[in-house]
Amino acid sequence: MTKRYELSELIRSDNFIDGKWVAASGGKRFAVTNPATGETIAQVAESDAADAHAATDAAARAFPAWRDALPKDRASVLHRWHALMVENADELGRLISLEQGKPFAEGRGEVMYGASYVAWFADEATRIYGDIIPQQQRGKGMSAVKEPIGIVAAITPWNFPLAMIARKIAPALAAGCTVVGKPAEDTPLTALALVMLAHEAGVPPGVLNLISASRENAVPAVADWLADSRVRKITFTGSTPVGKYLARESAGTLKKLSLELGGNAPFIVFDDADLDAAVTGLLAAKFRNGGQTCVCPNRVYVQAGVYERFADLLSTRVAALKVAPATDTAAQIGPMINARAIDKIARHVEDAVNRGARVLTGGKRLPELGLNYYAPTVLADATPDMQLSCEETFGPVVPLFRFDDEADAIRAANDTPFGLASYFYSQDVRRIDRVARRLEAGIVGINEGALASEAAPFGGVKESGYGREGSKYGLDDYLSIKYLCQGGLE
Ligand code: SIN
């Protein structure tokens, strides 16, 4: 039997270290606010390096027993955690909406998405095979076994407060690692609730530790993990500049890193595409979480022959999207996460318009709805000199670029330091094969806008980072290979 909690019971405001809820050592707190209203939801622990260190101490003490636990016992704990997440999906979904702003249906969907990684890695825990290496010399046996890498530090973003931390913690625990974590300062409450459920599921004290810190204190807290040689791995989802900082600062202790960084995804619509399907796919990919997703299309390239028709079809559908508070059951887009985010969106649109873009729909803030709302926007006549062509907008803005031939589209799509997701629509099988191979990205959507799945490898190339989350490959990032060579066998 799994237990169902009220929302108020899921809201925790202390750090979770060594199986206990504890205040930050300095006694300080910071406010977590509702992005739609600015109201304070909770005052959470303002942690610093001492708290980060205490979390590592606990994770180090817990590691030997968790490493040596039978994989099927680790799997059982993860399955119980999964069951608790599913049982509490409504309230967790409400908590996500409250602190992050996404509509409830999307918040609940995120819970099920995050839970799917937990179930996946629960099963994978029992399938960590090694190899017997065919004999090379008489009397010598050689094998390769996989071992947990050690203590993992998980640093997670605000856009998916549950799914991103779940898909880091689950493989780490499945592999036999212990974890110290810090969720984003905007959205720590969902992560704290998740840890509470993990404890209830039977994760032993010290195996999973979570601290919260505001933007100001995050650097000293994380720096403690970067410098600590006991922390063997960093797994991070967030911006490319922060990813580079983590890589640089952890070089002193040569940690293994998984970095899921910025996107700037291209979405290409060829003349031979099914235009209705392309519009539907673009809406699904672009407006998920109000455009605040690393895999959201940021640049939409449309071939000249279908440009005007596609722009019309798209603008009609985008103008009909319902922007409303997360509590409105009809809401499709909620508020953006904070004032910085919405200022960036407004700056990108203003810059594009000043450089000749035409607003087909949207193009403005919606203060009448509350804080941080921006109208879903389509801009025609986008060009490469605009800021939104080189930087992720991370909001509900679709710029349409026009192109003439396939080679130009591929060149433009790849003309970015990033390479996370890319998408294209075409009905020509030879073109599909060609374009899929030439796009420089870790993920390619072909006539499909919804790509996320726990069974698929998620991750990028170029400055979008390295490492893969989910799928049979996702566990490798938390394991190291040990070669055993035994002599004297004959
Ligand atoms: C992300 O925005 O980083 C993750 C999106 C996803 O899991 O599809």
Side-chain angles (χ1 to χ4, degrees):
M1 265 289 280
T2 48
K3 185 165 174 202
R4 187 174 282 187
Y5 290 93
E6 300 293 325
L7 180 57
S8 58
E9 294 174 290
L10 287 171
I11 297 185
R12 312 301 305 226
S13 51
D14 283 336
N15 289 333
F16 189 72
I17 298 178
D18 212 6
K20 295 183 215 55
W21 295 100
V22 287
S25 53
K28 294 197 191 128
R29 298 197 167 265
F30 68 97
V32 181
T33 57
N34 179 332
T37 61
E39 280 159 13
T40 297
I41 309 165
Q43 296 277 350
V44 297
E46 175 70 289
S47 311
D48 57 21
D51 303 292
H53 209 78
T56 311
D57 289 344
R61 283 192 298 273
F63 178 62
W66 187 247
R67 175 195 60 202
D68 296 340
L70 288 178
K72 67 177 179 184
D73 293 337
R74 292 201 294 263
S76 299
V77 171
L78 287 170
H79 277 303
R80 280 199 297 276
W81 190 29
H82 169 260
L84 278 161
M85 289 168 75
V86 172
E87 184 68 24
N88 289 281
D90 283 351
E91 295 313 301
L92 287 169
R94 277 192 192 95
L95 185 53
I96 293 175
S97 293
L98 198 61
E99 66 172 345
Q100 199 269 331
K102 68 180 63 161
F104 170 68
E106 264 198 270
R108 195 182 189 288
E110 183 185 335
V111 179
M112 300 310 286
Y113 178 47
S116 73
Y117 283 92
V118 176
W120 176 269
F121 285 111
D123 290 339
E124 288 295 299
T126 58
R127 297 179 193 138
I128 303 173
Y129 295 101
D131 286 305
I132 304 288
I133 297 166
Q135 203 170 36
Q136 303 292 313
Q137 282 175 35
R138 297 261 164 247
K140 233 185 207 184
M142 298 189 294
S143 59
V145 295
K146 293 187 183 169
E147 297 188 332
I149 193 159
I151 300 175
V152 172
I155 304 163
T156 57
W158 52 262
N159 60 343
F160 289 88
L162 185 141
M164 295 303 105
I165 198 154
R167 81 181 184 195
K168 294 180 187 321
I169 294 174
L173 298 191
C177 299
T178 54
V179 176
V180 293
K182 190 203 78 63
E185 50 283 349
D186 293 300
T187 58
L189 297 174
T190 308
L192 290 164
L194 211 55
V195 163
M196 169 185 151
L197 297 184
H199 181 58
E200 163 103 17
V203 172
V207 168
L208 176 55
N209 309 276
L210 199 76
I211 62 168
S212 52
S214 70
R215 205 161 263 107
E216 294 71 50
N217 269 8
V219 172
V222 168
D224 191 81
W225 291 338
L226 297 176
D228 193 327
S229 59
R230 295 173 298 170
V231 175
R232 294 310 317 143
K233 175 174 173 86
I234 305 285
T235 172
F236 169 70
T237 297
S239 74
T240 294
V242 175
K244 289 180 179 175
Y245 162 81
L246 296 173
R248 250 191 335 266
E249 296 298 314
S250 63
T253 50
L254 280 185
K255 298 184 201 311
K256 184 162 170 165
L257 280 97
S258 298
L259 299 174
E260 200 259 273
L261 309 176
N264 197 7
F267 187 108
I268 309 172
V269 183
F270 289 101
D271 277 347
D272 55 40
D274 172 339
L275 289 195
D276 287 325
V279 169
T280 301
L282 179 55
L283 287 171
K286 176 71 222 186
F287 293 102
R288 182 169 168 231
N289 198 17
Q292 302 173 109
T293 301
C294 302
V295 290
C296 277
N298 199 51
R299 300 167 289 147
V300 179
Y301 296 97
V302 187
Q303 202 157 8
V306 294
Y307 187 92
E308 297 302 340
R309 201 146 58 86
F310 184 81
D312 277 356
L313 286 171
L314 179 69
S315 327
T316 308
R317 300 267 304 270
V318 170
L321 290 172
K322 168 105 173 153
V323 187
T327 45
D328 183 332
T329 49
Q332 291 168 293
I333 299 184
M336 300 295 108
I337 187 69
N338 54 34
R340 271 195 321 281
I342 197 158
D343 287 348
K344 180 178 186 190
I345 295 164
R347 177 164 52 75
H348 275 194
V349 172
E350 196 185 323
D351 169 75
V353 169
N354 288 342
R355 291 173 195 269
R358 276 182 295 133
V359 179
L360 300 185
T361 184
K364 56 180 193 298
R365 297 174 191 248
L366 300 172
E368 63 280 16
L369 294 178
L371 295 178
N372 304 323
Y373 287 94
Y374 199 90
T377 300
V378 180
L379 301 174
D381 303 335
T383 49
D385 59 326
M386 296 173 180
Q387 283 174 15
L388 46 64
S389 163
C390 345
E391 268 180 66
E392 265 186 307
T393 304
F394 234 61
V397 178
V398 185
L400 300 178
F401 299 75
R402 192 186 300 258
F403 72 91
D404 288 314
D405 67 43
E406 185 182 302
D408 287 343
I410 293 173
R411 204 172 307 113
N414 290 339
D415 186 17
T416 166
F418 303 102
L420 185 56
S422 58
Y423 306 78
F424 68 96
Y425 275 70
S426 164
Q427 297 191 89
D428 174 336
V429 284
R430 273 178 291 207
R431 168 173 277 162
I432 287 175
D433 176 59
R434 256 190 331 265
V435 177
R437 281 186 289 110
R438 286 181 194 155
L439 284 173
E440 296 169 358
I443 304 169
V444 183
I446 306 163
N447 296 327
E448 180 57 62
L451 313 180
S453 165
E454 76 282 9
F458 188 103
V461 297
K462 295 159 74 178
E463 294 190 23
S464 290
Y466 38 78
R468 291 295 178 267
E469 295 192 314
S471 81
K472 67 171 186 170
Y473 307 105
L475 215 51
D476 292 342
D477 280 37
Y478 298 87
L479 295 165
S480 56
I481 295 177
K482 183 183 272 179
Y483 159 47
L484 305 179
C485 181
Q486 188 175 356
L489 292 181
E490 275 182 12

